[in-house]
């Protein structure tokens, strides 16, 4: 080989583009990845943790994954590749791994090897030295797989030992927990604490175990205290849980079993030496009694792959979470830390968070909109190569905030998530985002008592300078309040626009946007906001049509097409309404029941009335009433409709049009047959007139005349239609409505008013 070629190969080798080997061959086994751990000479038991990017996964169903991977897929050695005793304490959730090992004297550097190299088999004959350490109190947790008796130690013990749903294990200071320390989930679980209790002062000890649901304490294999059954933790030293045991100086085996059948957790053991005449200074068993001082926790070093020169590596930390009203899934903030080394540390980084969003920051913070397992990728791109590592991580709210005084707020999270590229989010995540926006709207419109007090204090402070001039204060305060109301309205409008536009963008621009339940809910929410609060029927129509085209469940799709038709009627576009109703009908089950089918028939009735087909319109309206399903008795329905009508009427009179349309839509959906009577149509006409949609208000009257020419409210509608047409500048149409009222309803008490208006209009010609 020429010198130039030799130099080139050497450069490639040093750069890592050509690998000397595709595995780490150690103690008779082959492994793909390695991490170095420096103990600093601390501890007789060392604990470390890392993300294994999917390389530790050899456990078949029903087998403890920790034991299945020990040796075969994971090995801990000295730097000289000598195996040391170790245990896999926890695998999961996601790609999380926790390991404990016994260090050797005068040796501080260790290697953790893991993963099976491509094309090779898992190691079979690796010998792991026997575990001999007795230091520390080991906590283990498992999920129950069947029923057991919480009043019986043997039943609880058997349930724990037989469970194959392993959560994991870790060393803890003592028996004192208000949550499961191995997971952020709140769920039923079984637990066991085991260790060696070193008694330094012999005598008679008072002992109490107190727990949420059952707990049992064994020393030297004998039950010495218990709190059986289902109950909350007791704060009193009641006789049934206060026990006494004689303990000699020296080491004693210690076992503690606990089980909870709900999402609450609490367990503790307290003791006191020679409590005469009664225990008054019960205290937790100190961690020193279990040799806790010999437990060392150290960080694992960066990832090294045998078959790749550079591999990105990262860690993460959950920083906090914010709940949403009426939603058990919180938004969770996470800080990522880039631990990449080697060639991967020289590239340009790209993070993909598994929720559709990305970042190019070195160590980004990210808010996950809902808990779950996410596949997070960190990629490093150099001029000639792309390195990438994917870890599955579990995102769950913390059991408690890191700092109670700095608990995050919805407003802080909103400043971040408002900048998200929402077109990339999947439906369930987007729904969570929308609910965050809606929570902000609700908070503005319905501030809590504390927020109101703060606002009032700010208002008083702002007017303090005029305190000696009452007249000036009274003049200024209304302007301040009006200005504040205007700001609130602008902020509400901002978030409503965000909701509608975000939903529209996701439905129209994201071809992978799927999930019938979430898409349906988003469509109703976004389309309704665009139509009724933003008064943007075009945007509403885009949302309804895009959702209808994505939905696979026929009845959901039919309702969205029908709502698009309803918006078209409001825009007085009959052709579009007809087209959307035809598409809806193709999606409609003839035997269907419920809101989606009822909506289709209700809108179809409106369209038929619009084009003058009264008989068919009445049939369709009757079908809408049949399919919606009567949830109340007839008298209750009358009462509920009366309440809805009074609410809508009052809101229209007060010009509170947002509340008015809410009441009208609810009434319309739940009692579609109300359209035949006509009062709801009259209120809709008045609502649209209040919104300066006078032509639409008049068209509703025409529709009602076709649907039910005998409506008791038709005279009021004709008078309202006349006012609407006059306001719209259609003087001839206004005259026609007045003439119809006088001619066709001679007995109406509104005839004198109609004649007066008619004469006045003619005199102005």
């Amino acid at each position: 080989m020429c010198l130039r070629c030799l130099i080139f190969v050497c450069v490639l080798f040093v750069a890592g583009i050509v690998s000397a080997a595709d595995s780490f061959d150690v103690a008779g086994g082959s492994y793909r990845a390695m991490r170095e751990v420096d103990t600093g000479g601390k501890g007789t038991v060392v604990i470390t943790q890392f993300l294994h990017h999917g390389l530790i996964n050899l456990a078949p169903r029903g087998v403890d994954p920790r034991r299945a991977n020990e040796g075969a897929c994971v090995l801990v050695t000295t730097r000289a590749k000598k195996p040391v005793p170790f245990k896999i304490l926890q695998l999961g959730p996601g790609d999380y791994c926790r390991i404990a090992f016994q260090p050797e004297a005068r040796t501080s550097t260790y290697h953790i090897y893991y993963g099976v190299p491509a094309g090779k088999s898992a190691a079979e004959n690796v010998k792991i030295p026997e575990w001999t350490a007795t230091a520390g109190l080991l906590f283990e947790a498992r999920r129950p797989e069947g029923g057991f008796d919480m009043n019986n130690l043997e039943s609880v013990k058997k349930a724990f030992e037989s469970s194959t749903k392993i959560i994991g294990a870790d060393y803890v200071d003592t028996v004192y927990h208000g949550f499961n320390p191995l997971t952020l989930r709140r769920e039923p679980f079984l637990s066991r604490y085991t260790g060696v209790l070193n008694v330094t002062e012999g005598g008679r000890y008072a002992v109490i175990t107190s727990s949420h649901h059952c707990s049992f304490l064994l020393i030297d294999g004998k039950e010495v205290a218990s709190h059986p059954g289902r109950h909350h933790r007791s704060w009193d030293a009641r006789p049934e849980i206060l026990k006494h045991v004689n303990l000699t100086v020296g080491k004693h085996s210690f076992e503690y079993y606990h089980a909870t059948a709900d999402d609450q957790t609490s367990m503790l053991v307290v003791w006191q030496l020679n409590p005469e005449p009664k225990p008054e200074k019960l205290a937790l068993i100190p961690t020193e009694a279990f040799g806790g001082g010999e437990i060392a926790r150290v960080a694992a070093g960066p990832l090294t792959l045998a078959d790749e020169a550079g591999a990105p590596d990262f860690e993460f930390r959950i920083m906090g979470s914010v709940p949403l009203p009426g939603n058990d899934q919180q938004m969770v903030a996470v800080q990522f830390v880039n631990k990449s080394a080697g060639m991967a540390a020289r590239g340009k980084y790209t993070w993909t968070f598994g929720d559709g969003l990305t970042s190019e920051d070195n160590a980004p913070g990210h808010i996950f909109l809902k808990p779950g397992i996410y596949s997070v990728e960190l990629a490093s791109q150099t001029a000639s190569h792309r390195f990438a590592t994917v870890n599955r991580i579990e995102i769950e709210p913390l059991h408690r905030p890191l700092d109670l005084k700095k608990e995050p707020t919805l407003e802080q999270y909103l400043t971040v998530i408002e900048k998200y590229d929402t077109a990339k989010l999947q439906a369930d995540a987007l729904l969570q985002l929308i609910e965050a926006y809606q929570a902000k709207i609700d908070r503005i419109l319905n501030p809590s008592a504390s927020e109101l007090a703060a606002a009032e204090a700010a208002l008083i402070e702002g007017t303090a300078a005029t305190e000696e001039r009452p007249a000036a204060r009274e003049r200024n305060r209304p302007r301040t309040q009006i200005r504040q109301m205007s700001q609130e309205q602008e902020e509400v409008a901002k978030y409503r626009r965000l909701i509608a536009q975000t939903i529209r963008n996701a439905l129209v621009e994201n071809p992978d946007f799927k999930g019938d339940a979430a898409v349906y809910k988003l469509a109703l929410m976004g389309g309704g906001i665009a139509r009724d609060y933003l008064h943007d029927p075009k945007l509403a129509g885009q949302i309804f049509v895009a959702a209808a085209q994505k939905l696979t469940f026929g009845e959901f799709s039919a309702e969205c097409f029908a709502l698009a038709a309803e918006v078209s009627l409001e825009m007085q576009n009959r052709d579009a309404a007809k087209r959307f109703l035809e598409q809806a009908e193709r999606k409609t089950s003839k035997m269907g029941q419920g809101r989606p089918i009822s909506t289709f028939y209700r809108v179809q009735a409106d369209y038929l009335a619009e084009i003058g087909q009264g008989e068919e319109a009445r049939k369709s309206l009757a079908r809408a009433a049949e399919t919606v399903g009567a949830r109340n008795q007839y008298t209750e329905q009358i009462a509920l409709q009366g309440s809805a009508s009074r609410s809508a009427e009052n809101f229209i009179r007060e010009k509170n049009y947002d509340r008015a349309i809410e009441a009208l839509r609810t009434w319309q959906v739940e009692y579609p047959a109300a359209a035949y009577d006509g009062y709801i149509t009259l209120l809709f006409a008045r609502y649209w007139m209040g919104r300066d949609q006078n032509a639409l208000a008049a068209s509703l009257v025409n529709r009602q005349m076709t649907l039910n020419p005998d409506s008791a409210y038709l005279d009021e509608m004709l008078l309202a239609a006349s006012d609407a047409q006059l306001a719209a500048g259609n003087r001839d149409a206004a005259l026609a409505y007045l003439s119809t009222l006088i001619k066709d309803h001679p007995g109406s008490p509104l005839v004198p008013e109609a004649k007066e208006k008619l004469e006045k209009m003619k005199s102005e010609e």
Side-chain angles (χ1 to χ4, degrees), residues 250-266:
K251 298 183 182 296
H252 301 265
S253 67
F254 182 97
E255 286 182 279
Y256 182 88
Y257 289 90
H258 165 262
T260 180
D262 57 27
D263 62 354
Q264 300 298 308
T265 302
S266 179

Side-chain angles (χ1 to χ4, degrees), residues 94-396:
D95 289 335
Y96 175 82
C97 178
R98 180 187 294 119
I99 286 179
F101 64 89
Q102 290 181 220
E104 293 190 341
R106 296 181 297 279
T107 301
S108 61
T109 303
Y110 296 84
H111 289 170
I112 300 175
Y113 297 97
Y114 61 94
V116 178
K120 295 193 176 184
S121 301
E124 295 182 355
N125 300 311
V126 175
K127 294 183 179 179
I128 303 172
E130 183 180 353
W131 185 274
T132 58
T134 59
L137 181 64
L138 185 66
F139 173 85
E140 302 171 85
R142 304 180 182 186
R143 295 182 178 91
E145 291 191 286
F148 56 92
D149 185 358
M150 286 196 174
N151 291 288
N152 184 277
L153 166 63
E154 290 304 316
S155 180
V156 173
K157 184 176 179 181
K158 183 178 179 181
F160 176 87
E161 293 173 345
S162 63
S163 173
T164 60
K165 296 181 178 179
I166 310 297
I167 296 174
D170 196 6
Y171 285 87
V172 296
D173 291 338
T174 190
V175 182
Y176 181 56
H177 287 101
F179 52 84
N180 184 343
L182 303 181
T183 178
L184 295 175
R185 298 181 185 179
R186 293 185 177 272
E187 61 183 355
F189 69 96
L190 299 148
S191 64
R192 176 175 68 185
Y193 298 74
T194 55
V196 175
L197 177 65
N198 186 20
V199 176
T200 57
E201 190 174 357
R204 185 169 181 265
Y205 283 80
V207 182
I208 290 177
T209 171
S210 182
S211 55
H212 178 85
H213 293 176
C214 67
S215 57
F216 303 88
L217 171 62
L218 293 82
I219 296 179
D220 294 328
K222 297 180 181 179
E223 182 180 328
V224 298
S226 65
H227 195 187
R230 294 173 181 251
H231 43 67
H232 295 295
R233 193 172 86 180
S234 173
W235 296 97
D236 300 319
R238 294 185 285 109
E240 60 267 30
I241 62 174
L242 174 63
K243 305 297 180 183
H244 294 83
V245 58
N246 293 317
L247 295 176
T248 59
V249 173
K251 298 183 182 296
H252 301 265
S253 67
F254 182 97
E255 286 182 279
Y256 182 88
Y257 289 90
H258 165 262
T260 180
D262 57 27
D263 62 354
Q264 300 298 308
T265 302
S266 179
M267 55 272 209
L268 66 81
V269 172
V270 291
W271 68 352
Q272 182 182 345
L273 176 62
N274 299 325
E276 299 296 346
K278 63 180 181 178
E280 295 180 348
K281 296 182 179 180
L282 289 160
L284 297 172
I285 301 175
T287 188
E288 293 79 10
F290 299 108
E294 299 178 46
I295 305 297
R297 295 183 184 272
V298 298
L303 166 66
T304 301
L305 292 177
D307 56 356
E308 192 170 335
D313 191 26
F314 66 88
E315 296 176 352
F316 73 100
R317 186 185 186 193
I318 295 176
M319 304 303 294
S321 60
V322 168
L324 298 174
N327 188 331
D328 60 357
Q329 299 190 93
Q330 301 188 26
M331 298 185 294
V332 183
V334 176
Q335 178 63 54
F336 289 92
V337 179
N338 191 336
K339 305 284 286 186
S340 302
M343 289 192 67
R346 305 170 195 167
K348 179 182 178 181
Y349 294 112
T350 301
W351 297 80
T352 303
F353 297 115
D355 58 2
L357 301 175
T358 61
S359 173
E360 293 183 354
D361 292 346
N362 178 51
H366 186 67
I367 294 176
F368 289 89
L369 295 167
K370 58 183 297 188
I373 299 286
Y374 292 87
S375 293
V376 177
E377 179 189 78
L378 173 58
S380 172
Q381 180 70 55
T382 66
S384 59
H385 196 74
R386 183 180 188 271
F387 307 93
T389 299
V390 178
N391 282 301
R392 295 177 305 121
I393 65 173
E394 183 180 49
I395 303 300
E396 291 286 341

Side-chain angles (χ1 to χ4, degrees), residues 78-95:
T78 64
R79 177 182 282 180
K81 298 187 178 182
K82 175 186 176 183
V84 297
F86 78 95
K87 300 177 182 178
I88 300 176
L89 296 179
Q90 185 163 341
L91 286 175
D95 289 335

